[in-house]
Amino acid sequence: MKKYILFVVSIIVFLFSCKEDIDTSARYVFKEETVLGYLQKHDDYSEYVKLLQLVNISPRSESTVFQLLSVRGNYTCFAPTNEAIALFLQDQVKAGIINEPTWESFTNDRLKDSIMKVVVYNSIIDGGDEESYRTYSFPQTENGEFGRPNMNDIRLSVYRPKAPDSIYINHIYPISIRNRDIPAINGVIHQMEKVIAPREVTLKTILQEQLEGTEKGFIVMARMLQACGLMDTLSKIRDEVYEQLYLTGMIEEKTPANGLKTMDGGYSYAPEHRKYGFTIFAESDNFWQEQIGKPAEEITPEDVQAWVQAGNYYPEAVANTNFKAPENLLYQWTTYHVLPFKLAPNRLVFHYNEKGYDYAGSPGKLSIPVMEYYVTMGKRRLLKIYESPEAQGVYLNRFPILDNDRHGTGHEISCEEDKLGARVMREDEDMDKRTALNGYLYEIDAPIAYNEETRDNLGRTRIRMDCMSFFPEVMNNDIRRVALKDARHQWVHFPDNTEYKYIGNLSINEGSTFVYYNAYDYKFGSLCGDEVKCVGRWELVFTLPPVPKRGTYEVRYRILTNSSRGIAQFYFGDRKDAMPAAGIPVNLTLGGADPITGWIEDTGTDDDADAEADKQMRNNGFMKGEESILILKQPGTTARANANRNIVRRIITRQTLDPDKTYYLKIKSVLDATTSEFYMDHIEYCPKEIYDNPEHPEDIW
């Protein structure tokens, strides 16, 4: 009953794209069939059609889903057969919900309505202005999620077992091999052999199932998270205060007077929700049994802490039984395994415009390595997530040798045994059992720790971070890098601080419009193709990720310049109320063609001359763009070789940084104009032993 009660509670949340009232005059009159027309013609779907007539598209609408599927649109319909619905009702009998496998056996009308909605809402994805999902456009990654949620606001995933042509939704709902990709003039139909009914649970519930023994494999991790006091945190789904502000119109929508106009006309959109999300990377019970020598059911948090202490992973931590204290050894070990980001299997890293990659033609064929850096829960520490074709999977804290010479390939050459990292088992056939509304629990094949070795490896790495990776909110609300081109997914603005602090790691001054531009398929030269902008008299304060260890670093800011930009003064420091200015104001309109930057085109043949040109540019406080990033509008051209010379990296500061301090970057407009744009792509931390290494100069990648 718990999952159905949860459903009733959450059912008010739906896709914005589902129409509140259906204009039946807009029905097609062509000879081709609509989704509804096809379903009505085939007796196999008669029970499903009855449900479509009974279920409204939302609590606020009189229109039914039956009407919705008769009008223009791009609907993906996972239509269950009569047999599938009969099996679903039989499951309700087994669960004790009803006595007989019929809809008439429900004695509670509210429960009956909610379960009918389970069948209908989970079966339909409204594609809005985009195309509906044919099997060839399903996510390529095993257990990868669709870009759009279904009508129940859940993103379904795709699994392909070894059996030829078999495709499953959420791992347990098979699509008919014979009846799939059935075209309709307003979408596509896939016949389902089971009713899609995903579990609507939180990570806390998944962990409790481990503790209670109804699911197995991760009881040790569940006990550690419980001992560290994280279970309530892992039960959070959404910020209800923001929900009410949005529903009551208190979150401002942008207009010509205060907005940033989109490239397609109109103005940016505020997020509909503010959800929470988490990702847990866990060593399995089998690992702990081998290491500690006890059955998993008998292993205690004290046992794990003793093992961690014996390995000298966190010598500075305190090994006592106050597991909820930040300085506690078990707390530091456990929280390094948890991110406050909801990362789906196909969103652990992002592939888009890295050199050699073809996102449109061969999305499953990887090229050079890609990586992300996220800040973990607990004490602020960096976790590296990495993927390359040579690694053959996604890894945590992998530090390989790359072919990053001036004329190299950029690929992974080799990786020492102690730098292999931990593989994330995202292809796990039981992944559906560890997928929650608010996150995922992944198995990893080796232990991870923020020990001295990891910090040293990160401290010898140029750390390039997309600025949106600073903000859990954009991942948890499916804002960042969604492969959709409609306006609501392309242009998203966030409330300023006076309206509501939506992003925890960013302060936005009153009157500024801070916008994330997804830019999917616009072929920009930014890292991953996306970017952020701001208009108004902007004054923005970013909370930066920590450095891995104490040392001297360059902090760099990447800009794609044009005449729409403004002039920014940078401030950098560890006190928000007293940040010193970092150099003179930077004119964001000036690209590499301006003599101030010293940009000179590579000869391609005289390495010494090209290196000297780079040195002179650095003397001016600038660097070229990256060899690793393609400008898709200029086929085969990298950001470094950009013919427009408008992609540069600005060196903000060069100073000693401490891993135990939190640093802030303030960027303030020095112009009175309110239309001059702030722009940001990514930030780099580059340690001195890389940027000032006479034997091995920093690579161009």
Side-chain angles (χ1 to χ4, degrees):
M1 284 293 291
K2 287 182 180 178
K3 65 181 180 181
Y4 293 113
I5 292 170
L6 268 173
F7 178 84
V8 172
V9 172
S10 63
I11 202 68
I12 61 168
V13 182
F14 303 107
L15 274 178
F16 52 75
S17 58
C18 290
K19 306 167 182 64
E20 291 300 320
D21 294 291
I22 303 302
D23 180 4
T24 55
S25 67
R27 286 180 177 150
Y28 279 92
V29 293
F30 305 138
K31 293 181 180 180
E32 294 90 341
E33 293 174 322
T34 63
V35 169
L36 179 64
Y38 178 87
L39 296 172
Q40 288 178 304
K41 279 184 60 177
H42 294 79
D43 290 339
D44 281 349
Y45 306 107
S46 60
E47 290 298 314
Y48 180 56
V49 170
K50 289 178 185 177
L51 297 182
L52 296 177
Q53 293 173 308
L54 295 172
V55 175
N56 291 351
I57 63 173
S58 89
R60 302 184 301 275
S61 173
E62 295 298 320
S63 298
T64 65
V65 181
F66 180 91
Q67 294 170 294
L68 183 74
L69 296 182
S70 71
V71 300
R72 292 182 176 90
N74 290 290
Y75 304 104
T76 302
C77 182
F78 297 103
T81 62
N82 294 343
E83 183 179 355
I85 292 176
L87 290 172
F88 176 75
L89 289 172
Q90 189 63 53
D91 288 340
Q92 311 316 303
V93 174
K94 293 177 182 177
I97 308 299
I98 51 178
N99 295 322
E100 296 180 359
T102 64
W103 293 108
E104 290 72 25
S105 65
F106 282 90
T107 58
N108 184 314
D109 288 341
R110 186 175 181 183
L111 180 60
K112 177 182 176 180
D113 290 344
S114 71
I115 293 180
M116 286 194 292
K117 289 171 183 175
V118 167
V119 178
V120 173
Y121 286 163
N122 285 310
S123 68
I124 298 168
I125 299 176
D126 184 347
D129 296 332
E130 303 295 311
E131 293 183 0
S132 45
Y133 292 106
R134 272 67 174 174
T135 53
Y136 64 79
S137 63
F138 280 10
Q140 298 292 310
T141 303
E142 217 64 278
N143 294 319
E145 293 182 338
F146 289 98
R148 290 182 182 274
N150 60 23
M151 287 184 65
N152 198 23
D153 201 29
I154 293 174
R155 277 176 165 75
L156 303 174
S157 64
V158 174
Y159 177 72
R160 299 173 181 83
K162 294 181 181 179
D165 299 323
S166 293
I167 301 177
Y168 284 71
I169 299 300
N170 280 38
H171 231 287
I172 53 178
Y173 308 112
I175 297 178
S176 169
I177 292 178
R178 293 183 58 189
N179 298 314
R180 61 174 63 163
D181 293 321
I182 301 166
I185 55 177
N186 62 342
V188 64
I189 302 152
H190 305 288
Q191 180 176 294
M192 300 303 299
E193 297 171 9
K194 287 185 178 181
V195 168
I196 298 175
R199 297 198 310 158
E200 298 183 58
V201 298
T202 67
L203 279 171
K204 179 181 179 180
T205 303
I206 288 172
L207 294 166
Q208 286 176 328
E209 290 172 345
Q210 295 287 327
L211 295 171
E212 294 164 2
T214 55
E215 294 294 341
K216 296 184 181 297
F218 298 91
I219 187 173
V220 178
M221 173 56 82
R223 283 180 177 158
M224 289 191 289
L225 291 165
Q226 184 182 55
C228 293
L230 297 175
M231 296 293 269
D232 286 345
T233 297
L234 295 172
S235 70
K236 296 168 66 175
I237 296 177
R238 65 176 63 86
D239 180 344
E240 298 296 347
V241 174
Y242 183 83
E243 293 284 320
Q244 288 302 311
L245 290 173
Y246 184 88
L247 288 172
T248 55
M250 299 300 290
I251 298 299
E252 184 180 38
E253 292 296 345
K254 297 306 175 182
T255 67
N258 61 8
L260 183 60
K261 191 171 184 179
T262 70
M263 295 181 68
D264 300 319
Y267 293 83
S268 55
Y269 297 83
E272 187 173 1
H273 306 290
R274 188 174 185 265
K275 300 177 184 178
Y276 302 107
F278 310 92
T279 299
I280 303 170
F281 299 108
E283 297 87 359
S284 70
D285 287 344
N286 288 336
F287 169 84
W288 290 115
Q289 289 176 158
E290 292 175 5
Q291 296 296 316
I292 295 177
K294 288 184 180 181
E297 293 76 14
E298 299 177 12
I299 296 174
T300 65
E302 289 83 356
D303 291 331
V304 176
Q305 180 169 257
W307 182 88
V308 175
Q309 186 177 26
N312 200 36
Y313 286 101
Y314 295 98
E316 68 280 4
V318 178
N320 58 23
T321 56
N322 186 10
F323 299 133
K324 297 178 183 179
E327 65 274 9
N328 175 263
L329 179 57
L330 185 73
Y331 186 87
Q332 292 198 16
W333 169 273
T334 304
T335 52
Y336 190 64
H337 289 66
V338 186
L339 296 177
F341 299 81
K342 182 183 178 183
L343 303 179
N346 55 338
R347 293 169 65 77
L348 289 164
V349 295
F350 294 100
H351 298 279
Y352 182 68
N353 62 342
E354 63 265 30
K355 188 174 183 178
Y357 183 68
D358 181 2
Y359 82 94
S362 303
K365 185 179 180 181
L366 304 183
S367 58
I368 64 173
V370 295
M371 60 213 74
E372 293 278 348
Y373 297 89
Y374 290 110
V375 178
T376 63
M377 291 184 67
K379 185 177 180 179
R380 300 175 72 247
R381 296 158 294 181
L382 288 178
L383 181 70
K384 178 184 181 182
I385 307 181
Y386 172 98
E387 184 175 26
S388 73
E390 293 79 18
Q392 298 185 346
V394 172
Y395 283 78
L396 307 179
N397 292 343
R398 185 181 181 91
F399 299 97
I401 298 171
L402 304 180
D403 184 15
N404 278 358
D405 289 340
R406 194 170 283 270
H407 302 286
T409 65
H411 280 263
E412 182 176 324
I413 299 173
S414 63
C415 192
E416 298 174 10
E417 188 71 24
D418 62 344
K419 295 181 175 61
L420 290 175
R423 180 169 181 170
V424 181
M425 313 305 286
R426 62 177 179 172
E427 302 88 1
D428 190 340
E429 63 182 18
D430 290 327
M431 196 65 216
D432 65 292
K433 298 178 182 178
R434 302 194 302 277
T435 298
L437 291 173
N438 64 343
Y440 305 86
L441 191 162
Y442 293 99
E443 179 184 352
I444 53 177
D445 73 348
I448 57 170
Y450 205 60
N451 56 6
E452 192 65 29
E453 181 182 9
T454 299
R455 295 195 292 267
D456 284 345
N457 285 327
L458 286 166
R460 292 190 289 265
T461 300
R462 177 184 56 213
I463 299 172
R464 180 176 296 155
M465 302 165 288
D466 190 295
C467 65
M468 296 309 279
S469 70
F470 303 171
F471 311 139
E473 296 84 0
V474 299
M475 290 298 297
N476 300 337
N477 292 279
D478 296 300
I479 295 170
R480 184 184 176 200
R481 297 307 302 132
V482 178
L484 299 170
K485 293 189 288 185
D486 61 286
R488 278 192 175 272
H489 289 93
Q490 285 291 326
W491 294 83
V492 182
H493 70 258
F494 304 100
D496 65 43
N497 280 22
T498 61
E499 287 184 274
Y500 196 79
K501 192 169 176 59
Y502 188 94
I503 298 178
N505 290 330
L506 175 65
S507 295
I508 305 170
N509 64 309
E510 183 177 4
S512 291
T513 302
F514 183 90
V515 174
Y516 170 69
Y517 186 19
N518 185 21
Y520 181 76
D521 206 32
Y522 279 83
K523 302 181 178 181
F524 287 175
S526 306
L527 178 66
C528 292
D530 57 349
E531 59 189 40
V532 294
K533 299 182 178 184
C534 191
V535 293
R537 292 185 177 87
W538 31 270
E539 182 173 326
L540 309 167
V541 181
F542 294 81
T543 302
L544 297 177
V547 294
K549 60 184 301 183
R550 184 175 176 82
T552 302
Y553 295 83
E554 280 187 352
V555 182
R556 304 166 180 167
Y557 161 90
R558 210 268 212 156
I559 176 71
L560 191 155
T561 66
N562 66 39
S563 58
S564 298
R565 313 290 191 227
I567 298 177
Q569 176 64 61
F570 290 81
Y571 302 81
F572 184 91
D574 61 353
R575 288 182 53 188
K576 282 187 178 181
D577 60 343
M579 274 190 285
I584 63 174
V586 178
N587 188 339
L588 305 181
T589 69
L590 300 180
D594 189 273
I596 294 175
T597 68
W599 199 102
I600 298 175
E601 185 176 356
D602 285 348
T603 66
T605 56
D606 190 337
D607 291 352
D608 290 339
D610 293 340
E612 182 60 28
D614 288 343
K615 182 178 178 181
Q616 292 302 317
M617 193 171 180
R618 279 182 53 82
N619 290 340
N620 292 339
F622 290 90
M623 299 176 67
K624 287 184 178 180
E626 307 80 1
E627 181 66 15
S628 58
I629 300 174
L630 290 174
I631 303 173
L632 298 178
K633 286 184 176 180
Q634 303 173 27
T637 302
T638 66
R640 178 178 174 84
N642 175 29
N644 295 328
R645 305 183 180 188
N646 65 336
I647 297 177
V648 292
R649 286 173 281 175
R650 173 71 177 181
I651 301 170
I652 298 172
T653 187
R654 185 183 296 126
Q655 60 181 271
T656 299
L657 303 179
D658 191 311
D660 293 325
K661 290 185 177 181
T662 299
Y663 294 96
Y664 305 94
L665 176 64
K666 181 165 76 172
I667 306 177
K668 182 178 181 180
S669 175
V670 300
L671 301 177
D672 289 332
T674 59
T675 57
S676 297
E677 294 177 354
F678 158 82
Y679 169 96
M680 192 171 184
D681 181 25
H682 63 258
I683 291 286
E684 291 179 357
Y685 289 158
C686 188
K688 186 177 184 351
E689 69 175 87
I690 290 180
Y691 72 76
D692 190 21
N693 190 322
E695 294 185 10
H696 302 284
E698 181 178 354
D699 65 68
I700 64 175
W701 292 80

